[in-house]
Amino acid sequence: MDIVDMLLNGFYVSLSLSNLLACTVGVLLGTLVGVLPGIGPIGTIALLLPLSFNMNATASIIMFAGIYYGAMFGGSTTSILLNVPGEAASVITCMDGHAMAKKGRGGAALAVAAIGSFIAGTMGLIGLTFFAPMLADAALIFGPPEYFSIAVLGLIILTRLTGTSMLKSSLMAVVGIMLGTIGLDSLTGISRFSFGIDALQRGIEFSVIAMGLFGVSELLETMIQPTIKQRLQKVRFRELYPNQEEWRRSIAPIFRGGMIGFLAGLLPGPAGIISTFASYAVEKKRSKNPQEFGNGAIEGVAGPESANNAAASATMIPLLSLGLPFSAGSAILLSGFMIHGIVPGPTLINQHADLFWGLIASMYIGNVLLLIINLPLVGIFASLLKTPLNILMPIVLVVTITGAYSINNSFFDLALLIGFGILGFFMKRTGYDPAPLIIGLILGPTLETGLTQSLIIGNGNVWSFFTRPISGIILGIGLFIIIYNLSGWGGSWRKDSGY
Amino acid sequence: MIVSKSVVRSVVFYLFTTLLLVGCGPQAKTVTNIDKYPTKPITMIVPYAAGGSADMMARAMEKVAQKHLGQALVVTNIPGGASTIGTNELAGAKPDGYTIGYVSMGSFLQPLYGQTRYHYSTALEPLVQVMSTPSVAVVLAGQPWNNVDDLVQYAKQHPGEIKFGHSGLGSGNHVVGEMLAKEAGIDIAQVPFRGESEALTALLGGHVQMMFTNPPTIKEYIKSGKVKVLAVASDQRMTDPEFSSIPTFKESGLAVVYHAWHALGAPKGLAPEVRAELIKDLSSMILDPEFKKNMEDLGMTVEYLGPQEFEKKWVEDNARLTKIIKETGIAEKIAAQKK
C-alpha cells in the first residue's frame, strides 16, 4: 500500500533524535497547559512562535501540534479533581468527573480520561492517515445553510443536557444567544450592545465566560465552605485505576465519543467543546440510568474526554489537506507552518511529503507518549489534593486570570471573567445550570451568520434550508425530536410552574 | 455591572501603580540618553489574530529585528472589531517610540464608516511601507468564465445571481467588489464572512461563485488547479510568475484599482530624533535580504517605501478611499443601517 509506505517513511522522519525530542517537549508542554486552568494551547503556541525561528521546520511543527493535542489530554485533570475546567473543552467533564472524585473515584476518572483520550486520538489519526483529502472535500459540501441547520439541531439537543428544569435551561440558552449578539454585526457592520466599550466590539469570548461560570464560581464556592470540609477525600493507591465494572461501562462511550469528535472536527467552529457536549448528550440518552448523570456516571467522563481528542486529530484534516483552519486552535497551527515558510494548502501533501507524513507519524508517537506520561501522573495529581484547598485554590485563580488575559491581551476580559464568576456562583445557588448558556453563546453566532449568509445566497428563500438535502435532513431530525418530546416537555413545563 | 466596574477600577488601579513603579526607572534613563534609543524591547501591535497575513508579516519582522533595532520586537495581537480595537490601542499609546503597529489601507476604511474613536489617518504617524498587494477576483476553476468580460456578460444576463464572498463588511475586498459592480453596471450580491478562511471555504465548496482576496491567500489553490483568477485590481500586471499572465481590470476597460499597502505606523507625536532612528532601523530591517527571503517563502513580496513617499501615499489614499466609499454607496448603506 502506498499510504502505508509513506507512513513508514514518516515514522523514519519523526523518529530522528531532534524530531522525537520536539514531539516529547510538545506533548509535555501540552499536558502542562492542559492541566493549568485558563491557559490554553493557543496562547502557548503564540508565545512560542518567535522561539521556534531557530528550529528546523519539521521539528517545530511537530512540537506545536504536540502542544495542541496534548492539551486535550490534560484538560480533564482539574475538571475532575477541583471542578475547575482546565480547558473550555473539558467543561462538561466537571459534571460527572468531579462527582466521581467526591466519591473517591477520582483516580479512576483520570485514568479513564487518559485511556479514552489515547484510543480516540488514535482513531482520529487513522482517519487522518487514510481519508484526509477525501474527507476534506466532503466537508466543503457543508455551506452556510448546513451550518445554520446544525446550530438549530445543536440547540434543540444540547439545551436540555444537564439541568432538571426545561424552563431554566431554555432561559439560559436564550441568554447565551443574546450574549453572542454583542459586537460588530457581520451583515450590517453595526456595533451592537457595545456601549462604546472598545473591547465589547470584538464580541464575548466564550472561553473567558466558560472559565468564569465554571472555574471562578467554583473558587467562590470553596471560599464559603467551612474549613473542615476543605479537604477532598484521599485517594488510596488501589483505587487509582478503574475497576472491571467501570471499564466495561467506559469502552462503548470511548468509541462513540471518538466517532462524534471526529465528525465534529471536520466542521468549522470550536469542535473540541461542541463534541464534548454532543458526546455527553448521546451517553445520557443511551444510558439505562440517566439519573446517574451528574452524580458520577463514568460514561459522562469517558465519552466527552475521548471526543475532544478525536476532534483535535480531525481538525488537522481540513488544515493539512486544504489549508483551511476551522477553529482558533488550527489557525494558530497554521501560523506555525507559515512562520517556517510552509503554506498549507492542497499542494502540501505532495510538495512537503516528508513533513506531512512525519507530522502524522509523530502524532501517533505523541499519543503513546501522552498515555505513558499521563497514567503515572494520575497518582501524582491525586496526591496533589492533600494540599489544603485554601492554598491550592488561590494558585488556581492566579493561573486562570493569567490564561484569560492571554487570549486577547485584554483587561476587559478579566472583568468579564470575575463578573461571570460571581454570576455563576449565584446561578448555581439558585439552580440555573451554566452549560446551556455556554451552548447558546457558541452556537448563537453560527446560527445568525448561517441564517443571513444563506438568505443572501438563496435570494431570500427560506425554503432553501429544507430543499438542500443535507440541511433538510438535519432540520428534519430536529423537528422529529421536538415532536417526539412534546408530551414529555408539556409535563416538565407544568412541573416548572411550581418554581 | 457594578461589581465588574469596581473590578475594572481596582484592576486599573493596580495597573497604574505597577506602571508607576516600573516606569519611573527606565523612563528617567530614556530622557537623559535619548540618542541611545531604543533601550528596551519595542512592542508591535497587530490588530488581527495570530495566523493571518498581517501577523505573518509581523512575525517575519520579529525574526530579524534584533540585529537592526538592537532590541527585540514583541508582537502583540489585539484582534477584533475589523482591526479597530488594536488600532485604537495603537493610536492611544504613548508616542515614545516603544509602541509601533501594523497599519494597512484597510484600517483607513473603518473611520470612514463613522464608528471609531480615532481618525487613523491623522491620529497615527506613517513610518514606512513594507509591502503592497492588489485585490484579485477569484472563481472556481470549473466556472465557465475565463475573464472579466465573460463574467460581466453573464452577470448582465442573470442579474443578482452571482454572489461574491469577502472577509468582512467594509473591508478592502468588499469595497473592490462594490467598485466592480458599479464600474461594470452589474448586479452582484455581497456575502460577508468572518475572515478570509471562512470566505475561502465557501468559495471552494461552491456556495459563493466569486471571492475577492489577496494573492498570498490564493496562490497555493491556483497551483493545485482548484481556482482561477479572472483579473487583478492594480494599475499594471503583477510581476510574480504565478500571476503575470492575468490581466488587470483596466485592460477590460474597468477602472477597478485597489492596491492595499501594509505598513508600520506609530502614535502621533514622536520626538524627531526617535522617529528618525526608528525609520532608519526599520528601513534597514525591511531591506534586509533575509527578511525579503522569509516574506517570499510566505508568498508575500516586499515593496519598501521610504518615509517621504509613503507619507504622500498615506494622505492621497485617505482622500481616494473617502471618494470611493461615497461613490460605491457603501458608506450610505452602513449609515442607513445605523439609523
Side-chain angles (χ1 to χ4, degrees):
Chain A
M1 263 286 290
D2 220 13
I3 290 180
V4 176
D5 278 350
M6 286 189 279
L7 186 64
L8 284 177
N9 185 41
F11 273 105
Y12 179 73
V13 172
S14 61
L15 281 172
S16 79
L17 191 64
S18 61
N19 289 346
L20 196 60
L21 186 71
C23 182
T24 315
V25 170
V27 297
L28 276 174
L29 274 175
T31 307
L32 184 69
V33 300
V35 170
L36 295 174
I39 296 183
I42 300 172
T44 312
I45 297 174
L47 204 68
L48 289 177
L49 279 180
L51 293 180
S52 79
F53 289 153
N54 300 324
M55 283 172 73
N56 154 303
T58 311
S60 57
I61 289 164
I62 285 175
M63 183 181 80
F64 289 140
I67 296 174
Y68 178 59
Y69 59 78
M72 297 296 158
F73 260 80
S76 55
T77 309
T78 48
S79 299
I80 291 169
L81 296 178
L82 299 173
N83 208 13
V84 175
E87 295 308 317
S90 291
V91 160
I92 204 82
T93 312
C94 292
M95 308 272 173
D96 288 280
H98 190 60
M100 282 180 75
K102 276 191 195 152
K103 289 191 206 158
R105 303 300 303 157
L110 286 173
V112 161
I115 293 164
S117 294
F118 168 71
I119 295 175
T122 309
M123 276 169 71
L125 278 175
I126 293 171
L128 170 61
T129 310
F130 292 98
F131 309 111
M134 204 175 79
L135 285 170
D137 285 339
L140 287 179
I141 301 171
F142 286 68
E146 284 75 27
Y147 302 152
F148 170 79
S149 307
I150 290 171
V152 171
L153 183 66
L155 282 169
I156 292 171
I157 297 176
L158 301 180
T159 298
R160 189 112 175 80
L161 195 57
T162 49
T164 45
S165 152
M166 184 65 206
L167 187 61
K168 285 181 175 175
S169 297
S170 310
L171 189 64
M172 283 300 102
V174 170
V175 171
I177 295 173
M178 286 162 73
L179 288 172
T181 62
I182 294 174
L184 213 58
D185 173 24
S186 65
L187 182 70
T188 58
I190 307 172
S191 127
R192 298 184 296 193
F193 311 114
S194 58
F195 305 103
I197 300 169
D198 263 9
L200 276 181
Q201 281 203 20
R202 172 164 42 220
I204 289 193
E205 177 68 44
F206 76 81
S207 12
V208 173
I209 304 299
M211 292 315 302
L213 287 177
F214 285 90
V216 176
S217 72
E218 179 62 24
L219 299 171
L220 296 174
E221 188 69 39
T222 27
M223 274 168 65
I224 62 158
Q225 299 292 332
T227 14
I228 193 91
K229 269 194 177 174
Q230 288 198 358
R231 271 167 194 272
L232 285 180
Q233 256 165 311
K234 276 183 198 151
V235 189
R236 255 168 282 143
F237 189 77
R238 224 159 11 114
E239 292 167 358
L240 273 181
Y241 296 99
N243 56 34
Q244 247 182 345
E245 166 69 5
E246 283 166 331
W247 261 123
R248 197 185 52 73
R249 287 172 54 182
S250 302
I251 291 291
I254 287 174
F255 281 95
R256 275 196 295 267
M259 285 305 294
I260 293 168
F262 189 73
L263 294 176
L266 293 175
L267 296 173
I273 183 165
I274 290 177
S275 69
T276 54
F277 279 104
S279 163
Y280 191 85
V282 167
E283 294 314 325
K284 194 175 176 184
K285 198 85 206 163
R286 290 190 64 99
S287 170
K288 290 189 196 88
N289 314 305
Q291 71 281 359
E292 243 187 81
F293 277 75
N295 299 314
I298 195 154
E299 294 91 339
V301 177
E305 277 307 314
S306 308
N308 62 23
N309 279 73
S313 300
T315 48
M316 303 296 277
I317 291 176
L319 178 69
L320 294 177
S321 47
L322 290 173
L324 298 173
F326 277 181
S327 66
S330 45
I332 194 81
L333 279 182
L334 179 67
S335 40
F337 277 92
M338 294 186 56
I339 212 157
H340 289 283
I342 293 153
V343 187
T347 51
L348 178 84
I349 301 182
N350 297 327
Q351 280 188 351
H352 300 279
D354 270 7
L355 183 132
F356 178 83
W357 292 105
L359 174 63
I360 291 183
S362 85
M363 289 173 74
Y364 282 102
I365 297 169
N367 263 292
V368 176
L369 285 176
L370 279 166
L371 190 68
I372 298 171
I373 294 166
N374 274 273
L375 279 182
L377 279 183
V378 169
I380 297 171
F381 283 131
S383 63
L384 246 183
L385 287 181
K386 287 180 191 143
T387 318
L389 286 183
N390 52 6
I391 295 174
L392 199 57
M393 283 309 204
I395 299 173
V396 171
L397 182 66
V398 170
V399 175
T400 306
I401 288 176
T402 315
Y405 177 75
S406 71
I407 297 174
N408 284 322
N409 292 320
S410 156
F411 281 109
F412 187 80
D413 280 356
L414 297 188
L416 278 182
L417 176 79
I418 305 294
F420 275 86
I422 294 165
L423 183 71
F425 173 75
F426 286 109
M427 277 164 61
K428 277 184 192 167
R429 304 239 121 202
T430 47
Y432 286 92
D433 179 14
L437 192 151
I438 300 288
I439 291 167
L441 183 59
I442 292 173
L443 293 180
T446 312
L447 189 76
E448 197 198 344
T449 50
L451 179 69
T452 51
Q453 288 166 353
S454 307
L455 287 178
I456 299 175
I457 291 169
N459 296 319
N461 181 2
V462 181
W463 296 109
S464 64
F465 290 110
F466 294 95
T467 52
R468 287 174 66 113
I470 298 176
S471 163
I473 290 169
I474 297 168
L475 283 179
I477 296 171
L479 210 62
F480 175 76
I481 293 174
I482 291 180
I483 295 167
Y484 183 77
N485 283 325
L486 261 184
S487 58
W489 283 359
S492 66
W493 275 105
R494 275 195 297 282
K495 201 175 79 199
D496 288 341
S497 55
Y499 279 87
Chain B
M1 212 47 217
I2 297 162
V3 177
S4 58
K5 240 186 199 167
S6 81
V7 171
V8 174
R9 229 177 268 144
S10 64
V11 165
V12 169
F13 170 72
Y14 280 116
L15 172 70
F16 279 121
T17 325
T18 328
L19 279 182
L20 205 67
L21 290 173
V22 177
C24 280
Q27 211 177 344
K29 244 186 246 162
T30 18
V31 173
T32 47
N33 301 328
I34 199 151
D35 48 350
K36 278 193 186 154
Y37 165 88
T39 54
K40 57 176 183 183
I42 294 176
T43 301
M44 175 166 174
I45 294 178
V46 174
Y48 295 96
S53 63
D55 182 56
M56 294 331 304
M57 185 189 108
R59 303 285 175 184
M61 296 182 71
E62 192 177 34
K63 214 166 166 175
V64 293
Q66 189 75 40
K67 77 178 164 194
H68 299 282
L69 289 170
Q71 286 289 342
L73 191 67
V74 182
V75 175
T76 307
N77 299 90
I78 307 183
S83 87
T84 55
I85 298 171
T87 315
N88 281 352
E89 193 89 4
L90 175 66
K94 205 167 143 215
D96 56 1
Y98 289 103
T99 309
I100 61 170
Y102 166 93
V103 186
S104 73
M105 199 154 111
S107 318
F108 271 28
L109 286 164
Q110 295 303 324
L112 302 177
Y113 308 133
Q115 45 188 1
T116 54
R117 177 167 307 163
Y118 301 96
H119 212 292
Y120 302 134
S121 62
T122 49
L124 295 174
E125 193 155 329
L127 296 171
V128 287
Q129 171 183 301
V130 184
M131 59 171 185
S132 136
T133 49
S135 286
V136 290
V138 187
V139 298
L140 277 184
Q143 296 284 16
W145 322 302
N146 287 317
N147 51 48
V148 179
D149 300 323
D150 292 354
L151 180 94
V152 169
Q153 204 184 358
Y154 183 88
K156 279 196 172 145
Q157 284 160 2
H158 307 85
E161 204 176 283
I162 296 178
K163 322 280 187 229
F164 71 92
H166 55 77
S167 54
L169 197 92
S171 66
N173 286 317
H174 173 207
V175 171
V176 187
E178 300 286 352
M179 278 165 87
L180 172 66
K182 182 169 178 294
E183 193 60 30
I186 52 175
D187 181 9
I188 50 177
Q190 59 98 10
V191 188
F193 288 90
R194 289 172 295 182
E196 292 266 279
S197 69
E198 273 189 29
L200 184 58
T201 308
L203 177 80
L204 293 176
H207 305 289
V208 294
Q209 288 74 40
M210 182 166 52
M211 174 189 180
F212 287 91
T213 184
N214 305 97
T217 313
I218 208 75
K219 203 170 173 178
E220 292 299 310
Y221 303 88
I222 301 172
K223 275 193 204 159
S224 72
K226 280 195 185 286
V227 300
K228 60 186 175 190
V229 180
L230 295 184
V232 184
S234 57
D235 284 313
Q236 279 116 33
R237 290 193 181 195
M238 290 175 67
T239 47
D240 185 323
E242 204 70 50
F243 293 90
S244 57
S245 63
I246 298 157
T248 62
F249 281 103
K250 275 189 158 176
E251 289 174 42
S252 299
L254 301 166
V256 179
V257 176
Y258 191 93
H259 215 107
W261 41 259
H262 308 263
L264 300 172
K268 199 99 189 173
L270 290 182
E273 310 86 26
V274 170
R275 183 166 190 267
E277 179 66 29
L278 198 55
I279 284 176
K280 193 184 111 226
D281 295 349
L282 291 174
S283 300
S284 78
M285 181 153 100
I286 295 161
L287 295 170
D288 183 342
E290 190 190 337
F291 175 71
K292 212 167 175 173
K293 161 99 189 22
N294 292 339
M295 291 286 280
E296 266 155 24
D297 287 345
L298 297 171
M300 300 189 269
T301 315
V302 174
E303 234 183 281
Y304 170 81
L305 268 192
Q308 282 87 25
E309 297 105 304
F310 179 53
E311 193 161 2
K312 191 167 153 260
K313 201 171 178 182
W314 174 285
V315 175
E316 281 173 4
D317 272 343
N318 186 48
R320 198 170 72 87
L321 287 176
T322 314
K323 200 168 143 246
I324 288 174
I325 66 149
K326 260 194 200 124
E327 283 177 0
T328 51
I330 293 183
E332 266 170 54
K333 255 185 219 166
I334 293 177
Q337 299 274 14
K338 283 182 88 179
K339 273 173 199 163

